[in-house]
């Protein structure tokens, strides 16, 4: 369908209800990332106004964060902190700096696996999940810039490179969703500790983490290492697209019965390709990201029963291990069993981010054309 993405995003943010009734959570943090990307790309004030309105509903004037407890040791809860860093830099308001300083204290005692990276959550001990790398590590880098703590930036890079080593599957060139250092989980391979399948969105979280970190890291061997690994991943992803330019839920099994083009992963990869191209990452084809955005607009944006435009084919949630009375075994069949949810923020926010990168690319192209003319 033909729809203005700007109008769709504006209406989505205007009507957004906090994902967990106002408690601090990564889902709201995803929206904040989308709004920041749109504000940075366009300079339009209304994206910033949506952001401050929503964050101020969770962070009071004294800097207290609604529903946040350090000792839950939930790595997901760190992601919205990137909005606090952004607002602290843009406004100078003490509430944001107070809140982000409190949030970063979680890292001081958050458990780690022996190799260094943090546990995904206290209730998922000895485990590293790809989504957790996106939740924590770009935030560490951005906070390091805000606070001048260079050691925190070095730590973030080291943890990312270690996690990449632990989760890499050489046979496919992809990364596995989870790693269990103790090999205690039924989903964990007894030799490698890895989960058994390649879930597209987990790799999407990873790709976004990698490209955001490459953008923030200073020039040097560490940045070059991460950029090279990102280039290699994008090269593999380019070969796994569907005919219409999207990516499958179980990304590397196109013949799997019931497999489908999943919108959140597609939006994440679109963002990664577009941003990597802007940053000059080797062999990063911005065209692939642009085509993915177009494909989502054509094939996954549609009116719901009430006539409102929604983004379809979004996997609501997927994980590993016990949850809500059942065991998530990480097999391809498991990933296909999870519920789809229209307009879930985990799909809409990455599409915001990809659209923002498209706008940056479009404006750059117009400037080049004007210079030639």
């Amino acid at each position: 369908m033909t729809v203005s993405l700007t109008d769709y995003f504006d209406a989505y943010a205007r009507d957004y209800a906090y994902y967990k009734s106002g408690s601090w959570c990564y889902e709201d943090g995803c929206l904040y990332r989308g709004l920041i990307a749109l504000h940075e790309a366009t300079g339009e004030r209304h994206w910033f106004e949506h952001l401050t309105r929503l964050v101020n509903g969770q962070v009071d004037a004294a800097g207290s964060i609604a529903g946040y407890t350090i000792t839950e040791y939930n790595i997901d809860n760190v992601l919205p902190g990137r909005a606090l860093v952004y607002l602290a830099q843009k406004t100078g308001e003490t509430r944001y700096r107070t809140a982000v300083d409190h949030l970063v204290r979680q890292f001081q005692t958050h458990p780690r696996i022996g190799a260094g990276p943090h546990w995904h959550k206290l209730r998922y001990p000895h485990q590293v999940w790809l989504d957790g790398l996106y939740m924590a590590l770009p935030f560490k880098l951005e906070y390091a810039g805000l606070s001048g703590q260079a050691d925190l930036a070095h730590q973030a890079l080291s943890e990312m490179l270690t996690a990449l080593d632990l989760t890499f599957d050489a046979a496919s060139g992809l990364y596995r969703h989870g790693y269990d250092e103790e090999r205690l989980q039924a989903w964990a391979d007894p030799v490698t500790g890895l989960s058994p399948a390649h879930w597209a969105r987990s790799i999407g979280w990873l790709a976004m983490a990698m490209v955001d970190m490459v953008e923030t890291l200073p020039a040097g061997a560490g940045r070059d290492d991460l950029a090279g690994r990102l280039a290699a991943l994008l090269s593999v992803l380019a070969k796994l697209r569907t005919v219409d330019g999207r990516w499958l839920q179980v990304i590397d099994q196109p013949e799997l019965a019931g497999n489908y083009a999943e919108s959140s992963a597609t939006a994440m990869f679109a963002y990664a390709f577009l941003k990597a191209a802007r940053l000059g990452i080797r062999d990063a084809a911005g065209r692939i990201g642009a085509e993915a955005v177009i494909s989502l607009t054509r094939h996954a944006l549609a009116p719901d029963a009430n006539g409102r435009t929604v983004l379809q084919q979004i996997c609501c949630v997927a994980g590993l291990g016990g949850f809500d009375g059942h065991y998530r075994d990480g097999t391809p069949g498991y990933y296909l069993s999870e519920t789809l949810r229209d307009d879930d923020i985990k799909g809409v926010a990455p599409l915001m981010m990809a659209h923002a990168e498209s706008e940056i690319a479009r404006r750059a192209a117009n400037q080049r054309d004007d210079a030639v003319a």
Side-chain angles (χ1 to χ4, degrees), residues 17-232:
Y18 293 117
Y19 204 93
K20 293 175 180 171
S21 303
S23 292
W24 193 249
C25 64
Y26 84 91
E27 292 91 348
D28 297 340
C30 290
L31 176 60
Y32 302 159
R33 289 300 307 152
L35 293 171
I36 289 169
L38 290 167
H39 182 241
E40 289 183 319
T42 67
E44 294 171 0
R45 184 73 186 175
H46 62 107
W47 303 122
F48 190 78
E49 291 170 349
H50 283 312
L51 177 68
T52 52
R53 169 179 56 84
L54 289 163
V55 172
N56 288 353
Q58 295 181 308
V59 178
D60 67 19
S64 296
I65 302 172
Y68 171 71
T69 304
I70 284 180
T71 51
E72 287 182 3
Y73 295 118
N74 183 341
I75 209 74
D76 289 344
N77 288 338
V78 178
L79 176 64
R82 297 178 71 182
L84 300 176
V85 172
Y86 189 74
L87 290 171
Q89 292 170 327
K90 292 295 183 183
T91 70
E93 285 192 36
T94 57
R95 76 161 81 186
Y96 304 124
R97 183 57 191 265
T98 299
V100 76
D101 285 344
H102 179 65
L103 191 64
V104 83
R105 292 190 190 103
Q106 179 176 325
F107 292 128
Q108 296 173 6
T109 51
H110 193 119
R112 297 173 179 270
I113 65 169
H118 294 286
W119 291 5
H120 188 62
K121 298 180 185 179
L122 187 63
R123 61 192 178 95
Y124 299 130
H126 308 288
Q127 298 167 45
V128 174
W129 296 8
L130 297 184
D131 26 328
L133 304 179
Y134 179 73
M135 304 302 162
L137 299 185
F139 167 73
K140 275 193 179 184
L141 275 181
E142 291 171 5
Y143 182 81
L146 177 70
S147 63
Q149 297 182 40
D151 60 324
L152 200 60
H154 294 313
Q155 184 186 112
L157 176 60
S158 175
E159 290 169 2
M160 171 58 84
L161 296 177
T162 298
L164 291 175
D165 288 341
L166 293 172
T167 58
F168 185 61
D169 173 47
S172 65
L174 298 170
Y175 294 84
R176 296 289 175 85
H177 185 181
Y179 167 77
D180 173 14
E181 70 168 338
E182 296 292 330
R183 280 66 166 170
L184 296 175
Q185 294 298 315
W187 54 257
D189 183 279
V191 176
T192 66
L194 295 176
S195 54
H198 293 116
W199 177 39
R201 188 161 77 218
S202 70
I203 302 170
W205 292 121
L206 177 64
M208 293 199 301
M210 294 170 80
V211 76
D212 284 359
M213 292 179 71
V214 167
E215 179 184 40
T216 307
L217 284 165
R223 183 185 186 274
D224 291 345
D225 187 352
L226 185 58
R229 299 189 199 211
L230 174 58

